[in-house]
Structures are given as C-alpha cells and as structure tokens.
Amino acid sequence: MSIAPRPPISELIPESAPFTPEQRTWLNGFFAGALSLDGGITPLSPTESAALMAGAPAAKTDDDDDGEAPWHDQTLPIAERMKLAEGRPLRRRMMAAMAQQDCGQCGYNCQDYSDALFAKTEARLNLCVPGGKETARTLKTLHQELEHSPSTPAAKSPEPTPGPTPTPADATAARAAARGRSRDNPTQAKFLSRTRLNKQGSAKETWHIEFDLKGSGIDYTVGDAFGVVPTNDPVLADAVIAALGAPADFPIGGRTLRDVLIDGVSLGTAPDMLFQLFSYITGGDRRQKAKALAAGEDPDGDAATLDVLAAIHKFAGIRPDPEAFIEALDPLQPRLYSIASSPKVDASRIALTVDTVRYKINSRTRLGVASTFLADRINPGDTIKVYVQKAHAFGLPADPNVPVIMIGPGTGVAPFRAFLHERMATKAPGRNWLFFGHQRSNYDFFYEDELTGMKAQRVLTRLTLAWSRDSDQKIYVQDRMREVGRDLWAWLAEGAHVYVCGDAKHMAKDVERALIDVVATYGVRSVNDAVAFVADLKKNGRYQQDVY
Ligand SMILES: Cc1cc2nc3c(=O)[nH]c(=O)nc-3n(C[C@H](O)[C@H](O)[C@H](O)COP(=O)(O)OP(=O)(O)OC[C@H]3O[C@@H](n4cnc5c(N)ncnc54)[C@H](O)[C@@H]3O)c2cc1C
Ligand SMILES: NC(=O)c1ccc[n+]([C@@H]2O[C@H](COP(=O)([O-])OP(=O)(O)OC[C@H]3O[C@@H](n4cnc5c(N)ncnc54)[C@H](OP(=O)(O)O)[C@@H]3O)[C@@H](O)[C@H]2O)c1
C-alpha cells in the first residue's frame, strides 16, 4: 500500500513549537510512527545503509561538492568506497580512501585528515592505521594527482585572511603545540598497575590498566581516548638484526640500529617500500616476487602473513644496507585506548581496558605492539609517552537528566565504565542502561563487582548481558536489544542517547541494524522511516559511536 509523501520526520513538529529539542524529537518520532502505515520489515538497500552510516553530511564547500559522503561506512571495502566517490573532487576521493571509522588514530577524523592532505597542511600519507596498506597505496596515487594538479590549494597564491579565522594549518600547529594533547607532542605518565579482568580459563587476556597523570599536564573528559606510544619487543628487534646479519650497534642518525628498531619503526606488516628495496638488491625470480609484493600482489599467497621479520626470512640471505632498510620501514605509530575512568572521581588517574593481541602464524607468536607493551613490557613506576585524543562527538549528554543507553561488548565497555563513574560522581539523575557482552559469563564478566554494585545503588538502572559462548547458541548484544525492544523504544521515546563502543567491522553495524528493527517494530513505522529515525538520532548527537 502506498502512502502520500509527507515531510521528513525531523520536520513534523516545527522548530517554533514550544518544546525542548528532546521533546520535539520524541514528538516527531511519535507522529512519524503513527503516520506510518506500511510498517513491514525489509532488508536495507545499500543506499539506505550507506545513508545511515553517513550520518550528518559534510558542509558544502567552494568546489561544488554536494557534501554527501555515501562511502562513509566502515564496513564497505575500499574498492566500493572509491567507486562511490568516482567523479567527486580529489579531497572527497581522498576521504573515501580512509577506513571511515573516524577513530582518531591519525589525529583527525576521516574528513579532516583528507582535507589536511589536500590542503597540504599534513604530508604524512600513512596515518590511517585501520586502512592499512590499501589506504596508504590509494592515497599515494591520489596524492600524485594532487602534485600534478595545477590548481591545488598550495599552488594558489595565498590570500590575506581577514580577521582571526583559524586555518587548518593553525589548527594543526595548535594541536602539535599543546603537550600531551596530540600524537605529535606526547607527554609522560607513570604506569601504576595492571589487573587481569578475565578469570583463569578465559580464552581472552584483557587488562585493567592505570596510569598516574600527576605532572603530565593532561586533563581529559569521559569519552576521550588515551594515546600510548609503545616500543617494540626487544626480542623481535634482535631477531630482525640476526636475520639481517647486521651489527646491533650499526650507527643510524646518532643512534644504534637496535634502538631504532625498538622505538622508531614498525615491525608489523611489511610495507611496500621494503619489498621495493628488496627488488633492487636481489635478482631473478626473487626480484620478480619482491616487485610483485611491492605492487600489492600476492605471488605466493602469503602476503597477509608477512611482517618485517617474515619478509626478511622469505628473502633469506638478503643483506640490505641497515640505513636503507630502516628508511624503507614505516614509523612506529601510537595506539589509542578508550578511557575507562572519570576525572570527576580522580583527575590524577586514568584507567584503560586493554585486550592483549597475540596470535600464531607458522609457529611464531606475533605480538600486538601496544597491547603487549602494556601487558608485558612495562612495570609499575615506569614512565611512558602518552597523550589524550579528544573525542570526536562521543560524550555524555550535557543535561544530566537525559537517559543513556550504552552498548559495549568486550573492551567496548571501557568508556561506559567512565560514563557511569562520572554520572555517579556528579549524582546525575538520568537513568543508565548498559548492554555488555562477552564470551563466557564465568570468565569474561569485566568489572562484575563494580557493575552489580552500581546496579544495587541504582546508578546503573539496567544491566543487560549477552554471553556468546555460554551455550551452543551465540547470543550477542544485538540479540538482547531485540528481546527488550519495547523497553528500548520507550527509553528512546523519552529522549535517551544511545552509545556504541567496540568492534567496528561487524558489531557496530549489527547493533545499528538491531536498533532500526526495534524502532520499526515498536515505533510502528516502515524500515525506511526507522532508518531515517536512526539517521536523525545521529544528526542530533543522540547516537554516538566509538568504534575501532
Ligand atoms: C578510538 C579507539 C579506541 C580504542 N579503544 C580500545 C580499548 O579500549 N581497548 C582495546 O583493547 N583496544 C582499543 N582500541 C584498539 C587499539 O588502539 C589497538 O588497535 C589494539 O590494542 C591493537 O594494537 P596492538 O598494537 O596491540 O596490535 P598491532 O601491533 O597493531 O596488531 C594488530 C593487528 O594484528 C593483526 N591481527 C590481530 N589479531 C590477529 C589474528 N588473530 N590473526 C591474524 N592477524 C591478527 C591485525 O592485522 C591487527 O590489525 C581502540 C582503538 C581506537 C581507534
Ligand atoms: N577483526 C575482527 O574481525 C575483529 C572482531 C572482533 C574484535 N576485533 C578486535 O579485537 C579486539 C578486542 O576485542 P574485544 O576484547 O573487545 O572483544 P571482541 O572480540 O570484540 O568480543 C566481545 C564480544 O563480542 C562478540 N561478538 C563477535 N562478533 C560480534 C558481532 N558481530 N556483534 C556483536 N557481538 C559480537 C564476541 O563473541 P565471539 O567472540 O564469541 O564471536 C564477544 O562475546 C579489538 O581491537 C577489536 O577491534 C576484531
């Protein structure tokens, strides 16, 4: 049955009506639901899905771009994202090359990073960690286009800027100048402690980690992330030195090869440049293989397993000049962790919830550099380099009365522990509902005592748990959301803000889909309207994500 077109949900109640924004959103949702007569649930089309992930469109600019970003969906493969960006200005295609997580690891969000590259206020093309080699390769190609374009911003003669309007260059400089406020200018904090959050017998290794911030100059807000500048495992550095057959004390820029391998370069995924270097110093079949690997091909089907050490082993006997070898590697990048504490409880301490990355490939255990740095290689009393990455639209509502729904399986619980501590410390009257899930209830119930205690004190109004490996049936947070959909809708209708934290690739999208189903079913509206409702929540800052 078709119905007459009607104004979008957000316009049903005019701005001038005597309601607060929360009331207006609720009423708009209510009337849109009541008006919806075609309420069946159908799968989302790719366009609907992309529109939903895109959230608020970017502002229009003078290159006549429409500001829409249909590629802004972290679950789309890069080829699809680039296709969606075909025919768009270069800066927009650069954005489509990013991993679309707005995770902040590069120090920007996806759009700001691409705009900074385009404006040439940022020269580093390899900052998008989740995008990996694919993003770096695509950006390299796009950057060549930028270099050859006659009318790039840098090529234009600079216009005098009237008044004090800050430029992107000012913003970059300001970020870099403030100590402890950016990856470019970290400060020092003292490592205090680590406590295992899983019980003996868990398949996971997750740590509650605390730092002392005294003297660091750092302040933070719940929702922010903490940047950790790690060092590589010295055992791995020594294995690389042995495989190269180079002296550990070979001088490189006033330091030793070993020191640079420990704290200067990434020993993770072998970069294209390394294979390029190998192709120059080897011959025959090996040269062809190295060339193919440098071009992103996979001649032996093992490319994904090649970290720096495995790459040297693959070309056994290769002896690059140590300096050229170091030049060919990527710099070691900091890692971000959602902050799991509130400064309103103790401004001089900060807590993290860190899952340790260890996995085996061909009998060698590979170590996640930062997570094992935190889990194994630092000791209480050590000072390490850190910074705070301010949240990009992820934080508690300004109004302490607003109810919040927090969905955070696994380490995704971290910022919600911070939110709950903050709301407890500030005696915020708003209701709090946490969805937490993990593998097994007996082993992986992080912060169990704290959360059940907060529930007893009614700080945590509701705690909904999903255990994926307690039985044969996988139960995920989104399954629980559907089970309690009626109540979830009631909270939403009362103006609740929704927060999601954790895995970006699968969980975040699945949770969003569940929310759409809940809105469609209990808000009695079509899927299209439910999609629009959730997109509206995003635009109004009522659906916020911190995903990685
Ligand atoms: C905003 C933000 C907040 C974050 N918050 C948290 C948090 O609260 N807690 C948390 O634990 N993490 C969090 N992360 C993730 C964190 O930043 C790191 O990415 C994570 O700790 C891994 O880093 P690493 O240096 O230990 O591993 P890396 O050295 O970066 O290695 C990780 C890489 O190893 C590979 N890998 C991992 N497992 C396997 C496997 N089984 N098989 C094959 N390859 C594999 C993958 O390529 C993966 O990308 C957050 C990230 C962001 C962007
Ligand atoms: N690359 C990936 O595919 C992937 C996936 C998840 C996490 N990670 C990364 O692993 C690190 C640590 O993760 P973590 O300790 O926070 O735990 P996690 O691995 O995210 O697991 C937390 C819980 O989420 C469940 N889960 C798995 N897929 C889900 C989905 N699609 N929707 C909802 N829940 C789902 C897990 O169940 P089961 O384990 O039983 O499936 C587990 O119960 C993070 O860096 C994260 O990004 C990567």
Side-chain angles (χ1 to χ4, degrees), residues 228-251:
V228 169
V229 182
T231 56
N232 287 313
D233 180 10
V235 175
L236 179 60
D238 289 337
V240 168
I241 290 168
L244 288 174
D249 60 357
F250 188 96

mmCIF file of all heavy atoms in Angstrom, residues 228-251:
data_model
loop_
_atom_site.group_PDB
_atom_site.id
_atom_site.type_symbol
_atom_site.label_atom_id
_atom_site.label_comp_id
_atom_site.label_asym_id
_atom_site.label_seq_id
_atom_site.Cartn_x
_atom_site.Cartn_y
_atom_site.Cartn_z
ATOM 1 N N VAL A 228 48.873 5.922 23.484
ATOM 2 C CA VAL A 228 50.052 5.289 24.086
ATOM 3 C C VAL A 228 51.109 5.154 22.993
ATOM 4 O O VAL A 228 50.821 4.644 21.913
ATOM 5 C CB VAL A 228 49.678 3.894 24.643
ATOM 6 C CG1 VAL A 228 50.916 3.105 25.022
ATOM 7 C CG2 VAL A 228 48.722 4.032 25.826
ATOM 8 N N VAL A 229 52.309 5.627 23.285
ATOM 9 C CA VAL A 229 53.416 5.482 22.325
ATOM 10 C C VAL A 229 54.204 4.248 22.764
ATOM 11 O O VAL A 229 54.918 4.290 23.763
ATOM 12 C CB VAL A 229 54.311 6.739 22.324
ATOM 13 C CG1 VAL A 229 55.417 6.599 21.288
ATOM 14 C CG2 VAL A 229 53.476 7.992 22.058
ATOM 15 N N PRO A 230 54.051 3.137 22.047
ATOM 16 C CA PRO A 230 54.669 1.890 22.517
ATOM 17 C C PRO A 230 56.101 1.731 22.019
ATOM 18 O O PRO A 230 56.582 2.540 21.214
ATOM 19 C CB PRO A 230 53.776 0.834 21.858
ATOM 20 C CG PRO A 230 53.388 1.454 20.551
ATOM 21 C CD PRO A 230 53.332 2.951 20.775
ATOM 22 N N THR A 231 56.757 0.705 22.493
ATOM 23 C CA THR A 231 58.031 0.298 21.884
ATOM 24 C C THR A 231 57.891 -1.170 21.479
ATOM 25 O O THR A 231 57.085 -1.912 22.046
ATOM 26 C CB THR A 231 59.215 0.453 22.858
ATOM 27 O OG1 THR A 231 58.941 -0.287 24.048
ATOM 28 C CG2 THR A 231 59.457 1.907 23.215
ATOM 29 N N ASN A 232 58.680 -1.567 20.500
ATOM 30 C CA ASN A 232 58.637 -2.956 20.039
ATOM 31 C C ASN A 232 59.295 -3.889 21.052
ATOM 32 O O ASN A 232 60.154 -3.474 21.848
ATOM 33 C CB ASN A 232 59.381 -3.083 18.707
ATOM 34 C CG ASN A 232 58.592 -2.465 17.563
ATOM 35 O OD1 ASN A 232 57.397 -2.715 17.429
ATOM 36 N ND2 ASN A 232 59.243 -1.639 16.746
ATOM 37 N N ASP A 233 58.924 -5.145 20.958
ATOM 38 C CA ASP A 233 59.531 -6.175 21.793
ATOM 39 C C ASP A 233 61.019 -6.284 21.417
ATOM 40 O O ASP A 233 61.344 -6.565 20.253
ATOM 41 C CB ASP A 233 58.807 -7.497 21.489
ATOM 42 C CG ASP A 233 59.351 -8.649 22.304
ATOM 43 O OD1 ASP A 233 60.158 -8.409 23.232
ATOM 44 O OD2 ASP A 233 58.964 -9.800 22.008
ATOM 45 N N PRO A 234 61.947 -6.080 22.375
ATOM 46 C CA PRO A 234 63.381 -6.170 22.046
ATOM 47 C C PRO A 234 63.751 -7.541 21.461
ATOM 48 O O PRO A 234 64.673 -7.626 20.649
ATOM 49 C CB PRO A 234 64.075 -5.953 23.393
ATOM 50 C CG PRO A 234 63.079 -5.253 24.239
ATOM 51 C CD PRO A 234 61.720 -5.690 23.779
ATOM 52 N N VAL A 235 63.023 -8.594 21.859
ATOM 53 C CA VAL A 235 63.324 -9.929 21.321
ATOM 54 C C VAL A 235 63.072 -9.942 19.809
ATOM 55 O O VAL A 235 63.843 -10.530 19.038
ATOM 56 C CB VAL A 235 62.456 -11.006 22.032
ATOM 57 C CG1 VAL A 235 62.662 -12.376 21.405
ATOM 58 C CG2 VAL A 235 62.736 -11.017 23.523
ATOM 59 N N LEU A 236 62.000 -9.252 19.388
ATOM 60 C CA LEU A 236 61.690 -9.176 17.956
ATOM 61 C C LEU A 236 62.748 -8.332 17.237
ATOM 62 O O LEU A 236 63.229 -8.695 16.148
ATOM 63 C CB LEU A 236 60.291 -8.581 17.761
ATOM 64 C CG LEU A 236 59.814 -8.416 16.320
ATOM 65 C CD1 LEU A 236 59.763 -9.760 15.586
ATOM 66 C CD2 LEU A 236 58.430 -7.752 16.275
ATOM 67 N N ALA A 237 63.149 -7.228 17.867
ATOM 68 C CA ALA A 237 64.189 -6.373 17.262
ATOM 69 C C ALA A 237 65.471 -7.186 17.071
ATOM 70 O O ALA A 237 66.117 -7.110 16.009
ATOM 71 C CB ALA A 237 64.437 -5.156 18.147
ATOM 72 N N ASP A 238 65.825 -7.992 18.076
ATOM 73 C CA ASP A 238 67.050 -8.803 17.980
ATOM 74 C C ASP A 238 66.925 -9.857 16.879
ATOM 75 O O ASP A 238 67.902 -10.148 16.181
ATOM 76 C CB ASP A 238 67.354 -9.462 19.330
ATOM 77 C CG ASP A 238 67.820 -8.435 20.356
ATOM 78 O OD1 ASP A 238 68.309 -7.353 19.928
ATOM 79 O OD2 ASP A 238 67.686 -8.674 21.569
ATOM 80 N N ALA A 239 65.716 -10.414 16.728
ATOM 81 C CA ALA A 239 65.517 -11.417 15.674
ATOM 82 C C ALA A 239 65.671 -10.772 14.291
ATOM 83 O O ALA A 239 66.227 -11.382 13.370
ATOM 84 C CB ALA A 239 64.129 -12.048 15.819
ATOM 85 N N VAL A 240 65.213 -9.533 14.171
ATOM 86 C CA VAL A 240 65.361 -8.813 12.888
ATOM 87 C C VAL A 240 66.848 -8.560 12.613
ATOM 88 O O VAL A 240 67.347 -8.790 11.499
ATOM 89 C CB VAL A 240 64.558 -7.489 12.914
ATOM 90 C CG1 VAL A 240 64.917 -6.593 11.725
ATOM 91 C CG2 VAL A 240 63.059 -7.785 12.921
ATOM 92 N N ILE A 241 67.565 -8.133 13.647
ATOM 93 C CA ILE A 241 69.009 -7.863 13.488
ATOM 94 C C ILE A 241 69.732 -9.148 13.054
ATOM 95 O O ILE A 241 70.556 -9.139 12.134
ATOM 96 C CB ILE A 241 69.594 -7.306 14.817
ATOM 97 C CG1 ILE A 241 69.060 -5.887 15.040
ATOM 98 C CG2 ILE A 241 71.119 -7.325 14.795
ATOM 99 C CD1 ILE A 241 69.327 -5.342 16.430
ATOM 100 N N ALA A 242 69.362 -10.260 13.709
ATOM 101 C CA ALA A 242 70.010 -11.541 13.374
ATOM 102 C C ALA A 242 69.690 -11.925 11.929
ATOM 103 O O ALA A 242 70.570 -12.364 11.180
ATOM 104 C CB ALA A 242 69.542 -12.624 14.346
ATOM 105 N N ALA A 243 68.437 -11.733 11.521
ATOM 106 C CA ALA A 243 68.042 -12.115 10.159
ATOM 107 C C ALA A 243 68.738 -11.243 9.116
ATOM 108 O O ALA A 243 69.039 -11.692 8.015
ATOM 109 C CB ALA A 243 66.524 -12.012 10.012
ATOM 110 N N LEU A 244 69.023 -9.985 9.491
ATOM 111 C CA LEU A 244 69.714 -9.074 8.560
ATOM 112 C C LEU A 244 71.213 -9.345 8.510
ATOM 113 O O LEU A 244 71.901 -8.912 7.592
ATOM 114 C CB LEU A 244 69.526 -7.613 9.013
ATOM 115 C CG LEU A 244 68.166 -6.966 8.840
ATOM 116 C CD1 LEU A 244 68.175 -5.580 9.489
ATOM 117 C CD2 LEU A 244 67.813 -6.846 7.362
ATOM 118 N N GLY A 245 71.704 -10.002 9.585
ATOM 119 C CA GLY A 245 73.147 -10.210 9.687
ATOM 120 C C GLY A 245 73.885 -8.896 9.865
ATOM 121 O O GLY A 245 75.013 -8.729 9.397
ATOM 122 N N ALA A 246 73.229 -7.945 10.537
ATOM 123 C CA ALA A 246 73.836 -6.612 10.717
ATOM 124 C C ALA A 246 74.286 -6.463 12.173
ATOM 125 O O ALA A 246 73.730 -7.103 13.066
ATOM 126 C CB ALA A 246 72.812 -5.535 10.381
ATOM 127 N N PRO A 247 75.284 -5.582 12.422
ATOM 128 C CA PRO A 247 75.671 -5.353 13.820
ATOM 129 C C PRO A 247 74.592 -4.547 14.553
ATOM 130 O O PRO A 247 74.073 -3.569 14.004
ATOM 131 C CB PRO A 247 76.974 -4.557 13.722
ATOM 132 C CG PRO A 247 77.109 -4.122 12.302
ATOM 133 C CD PRO A 247 76.112 -4.863 11.459
ATOM 134 N N ALA A 248 74.266 -4.961 15.792
ATOM 135 C CA ALA A 248 73.211 -4.281 16.556
ATOM 136 C C ALA A 248 73.555 -2.819 16.788
ATOM 137 O O ALA A 248 72.670 -1.974 16.892
ATOM 138 C CB ALA A 248 73.009 -4.990 17.889
ATOM 139 N N ASP A 249 74.876 -2.513 16.852
ATOM 140 C CA ASP A 249 75.257 -1.129 17.154
ATOM 141 C C ASP A 249 75.570 -0.327 15.886
ATOM 142 O O ASP A 249 76.181 0.744 15.956
ATOM 143 C CB ASP A 249 76.442 -1.103 18.127
ATOM 144 C CG ASP A 249 77.666 -1.816 17.550
ATOM 145 O OD1 ASP A 249 77.566 -2.371 16.422
ATOM 146 O OD2 ASP A 249 78.714 -1.826 18.216
ATOM 147 N N PHE A 250 75.138 -0.819 14.739
ATOM 148 C CA PHE A 250 75.333 -0.059 13.487
ATOM 149 C C PHE A 250 74.752 1.350 13.697
ATOM 150 O O PHE A 250 73.606 1.499 14.114
ATOM 151 C CB PHE A 250 74.605 -0.767 12.338
ATOM 152 C CG PHE A 250 74.904 -0.174 10.995
ATOM 153 C CD1 PHE A 250 75.884 -0.711 10.176
ATOM 154 C CD2 PHE A 250 74.202 0.946 10.542
ATOM 155 C CE1 PHE A 250 76.172 -0.145 8.939
ATOM 156 C CE2 PHE A 250 74.489 1.519 9.312
ATOM 157 C CZ PHE A 250 75.477 0.968 8.501
ATOM 158 N N PRO A 251 75.546 2.401 13.423
ATOM 159 C CA PRO A 251 75.047 3.752 13.731
ATOM 160 C C PRO A 251 74.019 4.257 12.712
ATOM 161 O O PRO A 251 74.229 4.167 11.513
ATOM 162 C CB PRO A 251 76.315 4.617 13.669
ATOM 163 C CG PRO A 251 77.270 3.848 12.806
ATOM 164 C CD PRO A 251 76.910 2.393 12.894
#
